[in-house]
Amino acid sequence: MGKNLIELGDLTDKNLGQLVLLNNTTLPVSYEEKFYSKLLTTGFVSKLAFFNDIMVGAVCCRIDQSQVQGEQPSLYIMTFCVLAQYRNLGIGRKLLEYIEELCKTEKYEKISLHVQVGSDAIDFYKKFSFSIESTINNYYRNIQPADCYVMSKKMITSDEKKDDNTKQE
């Protein structure tokens, strides 16, 4: 039996409809058309996961510029999903590793996201050293539980910042 192939691909206007369908199938929250059209513009990062040429997962992020002088931008994961029958095959890991590598290359400060309280995704993110920063009560309007956690992972350490500042001097 041949090895199953996981590949990552870019979001384009040609496969945007597939992403909408994937998100509607896997996520408890629906997004409007304007959300998806923004993904193709500057300031957003999206990556699709294909398993034997079938789109089965995706991650969509927003680049958040820091409001603090001297701090690097960070990456906010807006949506992250893998079809249920394709979980535990390394697809989510590959998507997250892509995002982490991008953060290192671009020197993004941290990765953050909101995740529904009680979601299986919490354990997934914890495996990758994400931690819970805070809880937001009544974050979601039409799903229960309505509360969410803000989870994050630091990508740049204080030492790396000092190294960068030393190089610039």
Side-chain angles (χ1 to χ4, degrees):
M1 190 165 168
K3 185 168 171 41
N4 292 318
L5 187 60
I6 302 168
E7 292 182 319
L8 299 183
D10 294 328
L11 179 66
T12 68
D13 58 342
K14 303 271 188 272
N15 57 24
L16 189 61
Q18 287 181 285
L19 175 64
V20 172
L21 186 59
L22 179 70
N23 282 350
N24 288 341
T25 302
T26 57
L27 300 174
V29 177
S30 295
Y31 295 90
E32 296 178 14
E33 188 178 323
K34 66 181 179 181
F35 169 85
Y36 291 102
S37 57
K38 277 186 189 177
L39 296 177
L40 295 171
T41 64
T42 305
F44 295 90
V45 176
S46 299
K47 206 47 112 171
L48 310 176
F50 297 88
F51 186 81
N52 292 338
D53 297 325
I54 301 166
M55 186 191 300
V56 297
V59 60
C60 300
C61 306
R62 179 182 69 224
I63 302 166
D64 288 341
Q65 299 300 321
S66 176
Q67 302 305 313
V68 179
Q69 182 72 27
E71 273 194 18
Q72 295 296 107
S74 60
L75 209 60
Y76 173 73
I77 296 176
M78 300 182 300
T79 64
F80 190 112
C81 62
V82 175
L83 286 171
Q85 60 269 39
Y86 292 93
R87 292 181 188 157
N88 299 309
L89 299 174
I91 296 164
R93 170 184 297 277
K94 194 159 187 164
L95 285 166
L96 199 51
E97 285 172 351
Y98 169 81
I99 292 302
E100 289 182 350
E101 197 54 45
L102 176 73
C103 286
K104 289 173 187 170
T105 303
E106 298 296 325
K107 300 203 180 325
Y108 293 144
E109 190 87 19
K110 71 176 183 174
I111 304 171
S112 62
L113 59 112
H114 291 88
V115 63
Q116 186 180 21
V117 169
S119 169
D120 292 340
I122 296 164
D123 289 336
F124 171 78
Y125 291 115
K126 282 183 174 180
K127 276 194 261 183
F128 292 93
S129 303
F130 280 75
S131 58
I132 295 172
E133 279 186 10
S134 62
T135 303
I136 302 175
N137 295 320
N138 299 310
Y139 180 76
Y140 298 107
R141 283 182 281 185
N142 299 316
I143 59 174
Q144 288 297 323
D147 303 340
C148 79
Y149 293 126
V150 176
M151 296 187 77
S152 68
K153 179 177 182 176
K154 283 268 186 227
M155 296 305 297
I156 296 179
T157 65
S158 300
D159 291 341
E160 288 171 308
K161 281 187 200 175
K162 286 177 194 166
D163 289 348
D164 270 3
N165 290 339
T166 306
K167 288 175 191 168
Q168 291 173 2
E169 292 172 358

